[in-house]
């Protein structure tokens, strides 16, 4: 097993500085610097993602989207190269706007909420492997770290909703708390399948396990991948699950009373969270930085690191694009449908996925199956169970209540 | 050295936020302090080389239970003006002293085992062995208890037959 992929980005940074200046960076400074790098990264990626979202929306609605801000020559070339500086201009506008704190708000939670949501996001990015040997810190509780830290996002939304002292914000906060708590459960259960297959929680181990199996985990855990994807759209409050900030009924939900930079921080966190859930999906289900049809070298090679990072970003961008596509083509779901989908369909199906993954992991150990065997066995089991559910009448789970 | 500093900072955070939970007149602020307290405890777990326990503390207590608590506050009528009742001083002091006596008695009487070895490195496999082999019976008992309470909650919360609103 190539050990070098578990090096941390902090170590690369220390080596680089030592190489350039001959001085060593004190250990205590490495983590703050790395966190600042992540913050810069999510700011930059959000600028690009917001631009991309507007362009995708424009293409789907037969428009051209923002075209005026940016190099004129590029805009004349095609719609996909126009308006490149639009979000940068928007960000500058939001930065210089006055920060309005309405007089009837509860100031401490009101200001703390946007700070918390960005902090949570930056902290969650710590374990994401952007490439071989390119995660800030490859904690051995990796996946659990992302899930548990992201669960604090709902706290920030509840704080914003309540402290705004406005009916729209409060309703948005309430809906969001209900939605995010419900969808966290299928999300975590969907991740348990790949965790079982990999036998570890660390993100880099997850990638290496997929190399060992010879197949990406979305094949043996197809159901898990789909459930994770749907639940993560609900977790980041994006359409069609955007009822916490439904514009047509709640103004802007929990962000109604925010303005200027504090509004921008919520916006930033929304796009950074979208990137986060997609990069987790790419790592856990789509092989992370594994380059298809190419062996991982035993020694560290800069070429493979660059290629792997490129592949990781390609996979993540693809998933992000699908999320945008879904956003602009599906209508918003009703709150009761949302709860039904989460509790009555996704949650039982995620248990089924866990069962199939457990069976497949045992089969692999007993019969020494390779990746294709494992995938076929799991897909076969899935089809069998789904067909069985069509034939056998399953009593409703609440049937026992009728006799109480 | 840095671990000691982290311990004292986190302990201060936990104690201060716990004090705020009890003394804060504003229920919502008390709830937020409770979450801060949970996160501080999670930090102490991480400091003690138990990162999994810390992550679970954040996930379950701060991320789920405390948020449900806040959810309940938000559904409560006219919370902005709600103030905590302050007429239970005697009972509160009695309970606190009793609790302190029990804790001091237990801690003073306990046998403490120290070890100079490195802490066990966390792995899913050791966790699984613990739950599925060593402590299987207690694990199942806890699961059964939770299932029973879940069913009880459903029975209490469900609507009466024919009372659709």
């Amino acid at each position: 097993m190539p050990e070098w992929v578990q090096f941390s980005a902090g170590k690369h940074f220390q080596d680089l500085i030592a190489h350039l200046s001959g001085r060593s960076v004190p250990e205590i400074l490495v983590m703050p610097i790395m966190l600042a790098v992540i913050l810069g990264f999510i700011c930059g990626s959000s600028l690009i993602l917001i631009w991309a979202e507007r362009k995708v929306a424009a293409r789907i609605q037969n428009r051209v989207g923002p075209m005026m801000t940016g190099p004129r020559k590029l805009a004349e070339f095609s719609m996909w190269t126009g308006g490149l500086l639009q979000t940068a201009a928007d960000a500058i506008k939001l930065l210089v706007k006055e920060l309005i704190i309405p007089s009837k708000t509860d100031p401490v939670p009101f200001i703390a909420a946007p700070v918390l949501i960005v902090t949570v996001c930056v902290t969650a990015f710590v374990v994401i492997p952007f490439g071989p040997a390119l995660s800030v810190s490859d904690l051995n509780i990796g996946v659990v770290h992302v899930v548990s830290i992201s669960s604090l996002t709902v706290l920030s939304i509840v704080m914003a909703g309540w402290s705004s002292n406005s009916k729209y914000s409060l309703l948005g906060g309430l809906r969001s708390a209900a939605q995010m708590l419900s969808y966290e459960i299928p999300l975590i259960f969907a991740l348990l399948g790949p965790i079982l297959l990999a036998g570890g929680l660390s993100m880099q181990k997850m990638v290496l396990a997929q190399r060992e199996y010879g197949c990406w985990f979305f094949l043996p855990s197809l159901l898990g991948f789909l459930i994770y994807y749907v639940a993560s759209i609900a977790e980041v409050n994006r359409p069609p699950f955007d009822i916490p900030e439904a514009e047509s009924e709640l103004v802007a939900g929990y962000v109604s009373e925010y303005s200027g930079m504090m509004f921008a921080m919520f916006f930033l966190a929304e796009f950074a969270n979208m990137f986060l859930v997609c990069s987790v999906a790419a790592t856990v289900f789509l092989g992370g930085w594994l380059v298809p049809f190419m062996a991982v070298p035993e020694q560290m090679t800069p070429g493979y690191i660059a290629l792997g990072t490129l592949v990781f970003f390609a996979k993540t961008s693809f998933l992000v694009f699908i999320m945008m596509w879904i956003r602009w083509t599906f209508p918003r779901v009703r709150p009761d449908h949302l709860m039904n989908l989460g509790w009555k369909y996704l949650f039982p199906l995620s248990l089924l996925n866990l069962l199939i993954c457990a069976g497949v992991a045992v089969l692999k150990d007993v019969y020494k199956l390779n990746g294709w065997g494992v995938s076929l066995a799991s897909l076969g089991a899935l089809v069998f169970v789904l067909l069985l559910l069509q034939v056998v009448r399953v009593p409703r789970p609440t049937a026992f209540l009728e006799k109480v | 050295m840095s671990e000691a500093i982290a311990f004292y900072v986190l302990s201060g955070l936990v104690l201060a936020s716990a004090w705020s939970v009890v003394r804060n007149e504003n229920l919502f602020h008390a709830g937020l302090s409770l979450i801060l307290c949970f996160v501080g405890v999670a930090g102490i777990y991480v400091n003690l080389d138990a990162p999994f326990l810390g992550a679970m503390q954040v996930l379950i207590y701060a991320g789920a239970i405390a948020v449900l608590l806040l959810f309940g506050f938000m559904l409560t009528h006219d919370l902005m003006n709600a103030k905590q009742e302050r007429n239970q001083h005697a009972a509160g002091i009695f309970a606190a002293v009793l609790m302190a006596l029990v804790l001091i008695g237990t801690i003073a009487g306990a046998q403490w085992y120290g070890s100079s070895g490195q802490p066990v490195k966390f792995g899913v496999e050791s966790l699984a062995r613990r739950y599925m082999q060593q402590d299987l019976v207690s694990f199942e008992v806890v699961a059964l208890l939770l299932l029973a309470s879940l069913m009880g909650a459903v029975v209490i919360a469900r609507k009466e037959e024919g009372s659709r609103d």
Side-chain angles (χ1 to χ4, degrees):
Chain A
M1 182 188 278
E3 300 287 339
W4 61 272
V5 301
Q6 294 188 0
F7 284 173
S8 68
K11 197 172 172 312
H12 290 304
F13 171 73
Q14 276 171 310
D15 289 348
L16 186 72
I17 296 292
H19 184 71
L20 289 179
S21 67
R23 252 175 277 163
S24 65
V25 188
E27 200 65 45
I28 201 154
L29 278 181
V30 174
M31 213 38 171
I33 292 173
M34 284 296 125
L35 289 177
V37 170
I38 296 179
L39 186 61
F41 168 77
I42 64 175
C43 289
S45 67
S46 297
L47 284 187
I48 298 169
L49 284 179
I50 292 169
W51 173 85
E53 170 110 58
R54 294 179 70 174
K55 281 295 183 190
V56 170
R59 182 68 194 84
I60 285 170
Q61 297 169 346
N62 254 335
R63 300 183 281 115
V64 288
M67 292 297 277
M68 302 307 281
T69 323
R72 182 60 53 88
K73 275 274 181 300
L74 283 175
E76 281 163 7
F77 178 62
S78 92
M79 73 162 271
W80 293 105
T81 49
L84 284 172
L85 296 176
Q86 183 62 50
T87 14
D90 288 344
I92 292 167
K93 185 204 79 175
L94 283 171
L95 268 173
V96 298
K97 264 176 89 166
E98 185 189 353
L99 271 184
I100 299 169
I101 298 172
S103 59
K104 287 285 174 61
T105 53
D106 190 350
V108 178
F110 188 79
I111 297 168
V115 177
L116 178 70
I117 203 167
V118 175
T119 315
V120 162
C121 198
V122 170
T123 321
F125 263 104
V126 164
V127 292
I128 299 294
F130 293 101
L134 264 189
S135 53
V136 168
S137 174
D138 187 34
L139 301 179
N140 54 11
I141 56 161
V143 185
V144 174
H145 170 86
V146 176
V147 173
S148 73
I149 292 289
S150 319
S151 75
L152 290 178
T153 310
V154 59
L155 175 63
S156 153
I157 292 176
V158 167
M159 273 161 79
W162 187 81
S163 64
S164 295
N165 198 9
S166 135
K167 288 187 179 62
Y168 297 122
S169 303
L170 186 66
L171 281 173
L174 268 174
R175 285 181 176 187
S176 150
Q179 175 178 332
M180 291 175 83
L181 281 177
S182 309
Y183 276 77
E184 217 161 64
I185 295 160
L187 186 108
I188 295 171
F189 273 79
L191 285 174
L192 281 180
I195 289 173
L196 241 172
L197 293 172
L201 296 172
S202 134
M203 292 296 241
Q204 297 284 22
K205 273 222 188 82
M206 215 74 155
V207 177
L208 288 178
Q210 297 180 64
R211 165 180 166 272
E212 221 172 282
Y213 267 73
C215 74
W216 296 347
F217 281 161
F218 83 99
L219 281 173
S221 154
L222 181 67
L223 200 55
F225 177 53
L226 297 176
I227 292 168
Y228 176 83
Y229 201 66
V230 173
S232 64
I233 298 176
E235 276 291 296
V236 295
N237 287 331
R238 278 178 66 82
F241 301 114
D242 67 331
I243 54 168
E245 41 183 319
E247 295 96 337
S248 49
E249 33 192 296
L250 288 186
V251 190
Y254 54 88
V255 286
S256 298
E257 304 296 330
Y258 283 92
S259 62
M261 202 50 219
M262 292 202 286
F263 170 76
M265 281 163 91
F266 276 110
F267 212 57
L268 174 84
E270 187 189 325
F271 278 85
N273 273 326
M274 178 166 81
F275 192 84
L276 178 76
V277 292
C278 286
S279 54
V280 171
T283 308
V284 172
F285 293 102
L286 295 184
W289 43 260
L290 285 181
V291 186
F293 310 113
M294 205 174 145
V296 181
E298 287 299 317
Q299 296 302 317
M300 178 156 34
T301 44
Y304 191 81
I305 291 183
L307 196 62
T309 311
L310 211 63
V311 166
F312 170 82
F313 276 99
K315 287 171 181 170
T316 308
S317 314
F318 175 69
L319 292 176
V320 167
F321 167 69
I322 304 262
M323 258 193 196
M324 292 177 176
W325 189 5
I326 289 173
R327 166 168 189 169
W328 294 104
T329 42
F330 279 94
R332 182 179 301 138
V333 295
R334 231 167 59 187
D336 57 330
H337 287 178
L338 178 96
M339 288 296 150
N340 275 351
L341 176 69
W343 287 105
K344 295 185 182 164
Y345 294 91
L346 293 187
F347 176 55
L349 283 175
S350 63
L351 287 176
L352 173 65
N353 176 60
L354 183 60
L355 198 66
I356 291 177
C357 284
V360 162
V362 172
L363 277 184
K364 191 218 169 213
D365 279 353
V366 175
Y367 295 108
K368 304 273 175 281
L369 292 181
N370 64 359
W372 292 108
V374 166
S375 310
L376 277 179
S378 117
L379 291 180
L382 180 60
V383 170
F384 176 71
V385 172
L386 291 182
L387 283 179
L388 201 67
L389 284 178
Q390 295 294 313
V391 178
V392 183
R393 230 182 85 81
V394 185
R396 279 185 300 124
T398 51
F400 79 96
L401 284 175
E402 261 116 64
K403 298 199 186 79
V404 177
Chain B
M1 180 61 196
S2 59
E3 271 168 17
I5 295 172
F7 174 75
Y8 286 116
V9 170
L10 286 168
S11 305
L13 178 78
V14 169
L15 290 177
S17 53
W19 178 257
S20 160
V21 174
V22 184
R23 296 296 297 178
N24 211 317
E25 286 196 351
N26 187 324
L27 268 180
F28 194 80
H29 287 185
L32 292 179
S33 307
L34 185 65
I35 293 175
L36 196 61
C37 184
F38 286 152
V39 173
V41 172
I44 288 181
Y45 288 150
V46 173
N47 199 30
L48 289 172
D49 275 316
F52 186 75
L53 196 57
M56 282 300 142
Q57 168 88 5
V58 173
L59 179 67
I60 294 166
Y61 283 96
I65 292 182
V67 171
L68 275 181
L69 204 73
L70 294 183
F71 191 71
F73 289 169
M74 287 163 81
L75 286 172
T76 312
H77 181 64
D78 202 19
L79 189 74
M80 268 298 200
N81 305 317
K83 296 270 184 264
Q84 237 175 327
E85 296 283 323
R86 278 284 179 75
N87 50 12
Q88 300 162 331
H89 272 177
I93 290 171
F94 176 71
V97 168
L98 203 66
M99 188 73 201
L101 283 179
V102 169
L103 281 178
I104 292 169
T106 317
I107 292 170
Q111 283 270 345
W112 295 95
Y113 300 101
S115 162
S116 54
Q118 283 291 310
V120 184
K121 223 168 159 40
F122 167 77
V124 186
E125 207 179 310
S126 55
L127 196 75
R129 284 206 189 291
R130 203 61 210 231
Y131 276 139
M132 292 297 156
Q133 292 180 341
Q134 225 172 322
D135 300 331
L136 181 63
V137 177
S138 36
F139 181 70
E140 291 297 334
V141 168
V142 169
L144 207 65
L145 269 177
L146 283 174
L147 184 68
S149 62
L150 190 74
M151 281 160 69
V154 171
V155 169
I156 293 170
R158 104 196 148 104
K159 284 188 193 124
E160 285 302 315
E161 207 67 37
S163 72
R164 283 183 69 91
D165 50 311

